[in-house]
Amino acid sequence: MASPARTELLGLYRSLLRTAREFCDYNVREYVKRRTSDGFRQNRNLTDPDLIASVYREGKNQLAVAKRQALVYSIYAPKVKSIMELDAAITTNTTN
Amino acid sequence: MASKLLASTLRQTLTKATAYSVTRQFSTAAAVSVAAAAPAPDSYEDPNGIIMKGVKIAGRPLYLDMQATTPVDPRVLDAMLPFFLSRYGNPHSRTHLFGWESDLAVENARSQISDLIGASPKEIIFTSGATESNNISIKGVMHFYKDKKRHVITTQTEHKCVLDSCRHLQQEGFEITYLPVGSDGIVDLKELRAAIRPDTGLISIMAVNNEIGVIQPMEEIGEICKEFKIPFHTDAAQALGKIPVDVEKWNVSLMSLSGHKIYGPKGVGALYLRRRPRIRVEPLINGGGQERGLRSGTLPTPLIVGFGSACEIAKKEMDYDHKRIMALQDRLLNGIREKIDGVVINGSVERRYAGNLNLSFAYVEGESLLMGLKEVAVSSGSACTSASLEPSYVLRALGVDEDMAHTSIRFGIGRFSTEAEIDRAVELTVKQVVKLREMSPLYEMFFFLLSLLTEKEGVNVWPGFPCLVTPEAYDWENNNFHLFDRVEADAASAFIALWLEKYNLSSQSQYEDVQQLKWNGDKQMVASVRNEVCKRLLIFALSEEAYLFHRRRIAESSHK
């Protein structure tokens, strides 16, 4: 199997980051973003074409998983967002 | 093609949380029917915030309680869903495709789990969780060998299910030794050796403690068990996927595993049973003879597939996660220590799992601290998280004072925690602790003493340690402290040794590292700790009445 071209690799990277943005859960979204950039950074010096091809294939599988799960998470999104996403001041009133 | 269109319209209609989707009016019957069939809204959530149990918060709290449970990894959910939707067969059905494919998935999961712990797939049986696995191990092993073996050794810091199973065995007539632990939470190997008897049937020691996060010396304990030929059981629910687990290196015969602590689903666990030499157990649940007769019952295929997938992911991600979590723990600890003092880590600092940080804050009341931390989901070792009024038995076994045990908080950091969450948790914790300390009379007294001391020359003080003031040092008539500037070196060093031990600063290098302390951002107190300071340290004790008397006199004199 031919080694993927540079454009394909960059395309995969961008697709993964785009899919990350679609997650409505703050923690998962940050994780996907961080894991893709760290993963690509870790593998940036690979030279063996077979290894690059297999890593690329795995990346594509992960992209498919991410796309499916972004949809599932959005269907069951909670009504209230995480506190980390609200940038207004937090109010904590204890009503007794 | 139609399904893709439906999926995209679904996403656009129903996603409210992302700012990128635009809601449009649709006339397609599918969208309308789906919108009508959306899950019924929970009564406590509305777009303005959440009101539950008398507390109002603006959004879902940030989750820092990874020892209680972990969120399900999206990759795990992806592996599980087909088994809820179309591949719903019973893995024990041998006559049709549904059964065959489920069985294949279960066996695949079995090998994924055994890979992670260095075992063979035949040595894994599935249970409903680590609690059931612990029950099978302890009760099952002792019931099987009840004629020859009547003694069990365990520790005082084990999980409740282990301690309760042992108590059940005690009622049946077995004898249990509960080994004490040191103040760092680690079990003493010499005591373990001394407790072994000829009729000891099982030694059960958990690998990573769920409350304080200390890692026991598993290899050394395994050596001892091998030497005496006693089965070694460990509860590895918190250790799996986080630290390297190898059943050969540890020489364990039984190991309990849990699914929901490694980003898998709740309701599934496993038990590792060694085959060479074979360890026999009496089954707790009888039935159709599934799982080699040891645990009958239909296997929950989706949960098992999720568990296996979580193990596979954990194996790949262990190094990456561990590095990250260690960095986050340092960030959390340093962030808190920079702003406030009197912070004590419960449990050993060296031998601990990085994702579990159990802190006690001096001079702060535990319940009120938790009440102010509603935007952070954390757990505590204090009474309000347990049904009784007693603080956690684990902290009591460590020898932590009751007041410190009540203010303990357990921060759990995991794969999905972010730096921003840690920073926010630090900010909220520091804010709440400072607020409570401002209201605390004990703290005020300590602060007053400290400010008094620093005005005198030639005084070296350790900030963060309550000072003991002797009544003799207080001159009642003239409202003065007699300051002794020379104290018996022996008495001083004994006192210092006690305080060093209490606050886990027993190594010389840490003792010398206490150089600077920032105080509430306002005052700066520089205290240098040197060996010779013992000879020049002031030690004095103040009773509360003396302190209040003194304050009143100051107030009266200022009114004149």
Side-chain angles (χ1 to χ4, degrees), chain A residues 21-24 26-32 34-35 38-39 42 58 62 64-65 68-86 88-96, chain B residues 7 10-11 14-18 20 39 41 45-47 49-50 54-62 72-75 77-78 81 316-317 320-321 324 371 374-375 415-421 424:
Chain A
R21 279 205 296 268
E22 289 167 20
F23 275 97
C24 50
Y26 165 79
N27 291 96
V28 178
R29 184 169 62 235
E30 293 298 310
Y31 177 74
V32 179
R34 186 177 57 237
R35 190 70 185 89
D38 285 345
Q42 198 181 351
E58 206 183 301
Q62 295 290 305
V65 171
R68 286 198 291 267
Q69 290 310 307
L71 180 56
V72 171
Y73 274 71
S74 67
I75 295 173
Y76 286 97
K79 277 179 161 182
V80 188
K81 287 201 263 186
S82 157
I83 277 213
M84 299 304 294
E85 294 174 325
L86 308 170
I90 314 293
T91 50
T92 314
N93 305 321
T94 49
T95 56
N96 284 358
Chain B
L10 257 177
R11 201 180 335 168
L14 293 177
T15 307
K16 295 175 191 124
T18 58
Y20 303 95
E45 272 186 347
D46 63 55
I50 302 175
V55 175
K56 179 169 190 265
I57 36 178
R60 295 185 70 77
L62 61 96
V72 174
D73 194 305
R75 294 166 282 194
L77 185 63
D78 193 73
L81 278 173
K316 282 192 226 147
E317 306 275 323
Y320 175 77
D321 283 343
R324 245 194 113 248
M371 262 171 42
K374 281 299 165 234
E375 292 101 15
R415 184 185 290 167
F416 296 99
S417 308
T418 62
E419 280 87 357
E421 283 184 326
R424 175 88 105 187

Side-chain angles (χ1 to χ4, degrees), chain B residues 204-250:
Chain B
S204 174
I205 297 180
M206 72 192 324
V208 174
N209 190 290
N210 56 320
E211 278 218 38
I212 49 182
V214 296
I215 306 177
Q216 301 287 352
M218 300 307 286
E219 286 170 20
E220 287 85 342
I221 300 174
E223 292 270 330
I224 296 178
C225 294
K226 197 172 186 169
E227 189 188 320
F228 289 90
K229 292 205 175 44
I230 303 176
F232 181 23
H233 164 251
T234 177
D235 178 0
Q238 295 285 344
L240 185 67
K242 310 219 168 93
I243 59 169
V245 174
D246 190 329
V247 293
E248 295 304 322
K249 279 210 200 103
W250 290 4

Side-chain angles (χ1 to χ4, degrees), chain B residues 112 200 294 296 300-301 363 369:
Chain B
Q112 284 168 325
T200 301
L294 296 168
S296 304
T301 320
Y363 308 111
L369 179 58

Side-chain angles (χ1 to χ4, degrees), chain B residues 24 39 55 63 102 132 226 285 298-299 343 348 365 379 396 416 433 441 456 486 505 509 533:
Chain B
R24 292 186 211 149
V55 175
Y63 192 74
S102 296
E132 188 187 333
K226 197 172 186 169
I285 299 185
T298 301
L299 290 176
V343 175
S348 159
E365 213 281 306
S379 169
R396 205 158 9 105
F416 296 99
V433 168
K456 304 281 170 195
R486 225 179 294 276
L505 286 183
S509 57
V533 80

Side-chain angles (χ1 to χ4, degrees), chain B residues 28-284:
Chain B
T28 54
V32 168
S33 67
V34 163
D42 297 299
S43 52
Y44 60 89
E45 272 186 347
D46 63 55
N48 295 328
I50 302 175
I51 303 180
M52 210 174 184
K53 301 214 181 213
V55 175
K56 179 169 190 265
I57 36 178
R60 295 185 70 77
L62 61 96
Y63 192 74
L64 283 182
D65 197 12
M66 298 291 172
Q67 279 71 40
T69 187
T70 51
V72 174
D73 194 305
R75 294 166 282 194
V76 167
L77 185 63
D78 193 73
M80 279 168 51
L81 278 173
F83 294 89
F84 281 119
L85 302 173
S86 57
R87 303 191 206 165
Y88 47 78
N90 185 327
H92 312 293
S93 308
R94 306 167 73 145
T95 54
H96 47 71
L97 174 73
F98 290 94
W100 303 332
E101 69 187 356
S102 296
D103 190 46
L104 197 65
V106 164
E107 294 309 313
N108 187 31
R110 220 186 282 269
S111 66
Q112 284 168 325
I113 298 168
S114 58
D115 265 345
L116 185 56
I117 59 175
S120 135
K122 296 190 194 154
E123 295 171 314
I124 306 274
I125 62 165
F126 289 111
T127 60
S128 68
T131 301
E132 188 187 333
S133 304
N134 283 332
N135 271 267
I136 296 177
S137 310
I138 296 174
K139 291 186 204 155
V141 166
M142 292 318 286
H143 285 160
F144 193 87
Y145 295 107
K146 64 176 178 282
D147 296 323
K148 298 263 179 61
K149 307 286 183 182
R150 306 291 298 176
H151 181 230
V152 176
I153 300 178
T154 184
T155 65
Q156 289 175 357
T157 52
E158 290 294 307
H159 194 261
K160 265 277 161 71
C161 54
V162 171
L163 295 177
D164 213 56
S165 306
C166 290
R167 195 170 53 84
H168 180 94
L169 285 179
Q170 253 177 317
Q171 282 172 348
E172 289 179 359
F174 291 85
E175 281 167 35
I176 321 282
T177 301
Y178 299 95
L179 289 174
V181 292
S183 61
D184 58 354
I186 312 273
V187 72
D188 189 348
L189 295 169
K190 285 196 266 322
E191 284 194 23
L192 172 62
R193 254 180 209 274
I196 293 179
R197 299 182 347 197
D199 66 342
T200 301
L202 186 70
I203 294 182
S204 174
I205 297 180
M206 72 192 324
V208 174
N209 190 290
N210 56 320
E211 278 218 38
I212 49 182
V214 296
I215 306 177
Q216 301 287 352
M218 300 307 286
E219 286 170 20
E220 287 85 342
I221 300 174
E223 292 270 330
I224 296 178
C225 294
K226 197 172 186 169
E227 189 188 320
F228 289 90
K229 292 205 175 44
I230 303 176
F232 181 23
H233 164 251
T234 177
D235 178 0
Q238 295 285 344
L240 185 67
K242 310 219 168 93
I243 59 169
V245 174
D246 190 329
V247 293
E248 295 304 322
K249 279 210 200 103
W250 290 4
N251 193 45
V252 284
S253 309
L254 299 119
M255 178 149 62
S256 308
L257 309 167
S258 171
H260 71 108
K261 303 278 165 49
I262 49 164
Y263 313 95
K266 293 184 222 342
V268 69
L271 175 64
Y272 160 78
L273 283 158
R274 182 176 279 273
R275 288 180 93 223
R276 288 202 189 93
R278 187 180 284 266
I279 181 88
R280 311 283 302 270
V281 288
E282 211 182 71
L284 236 52

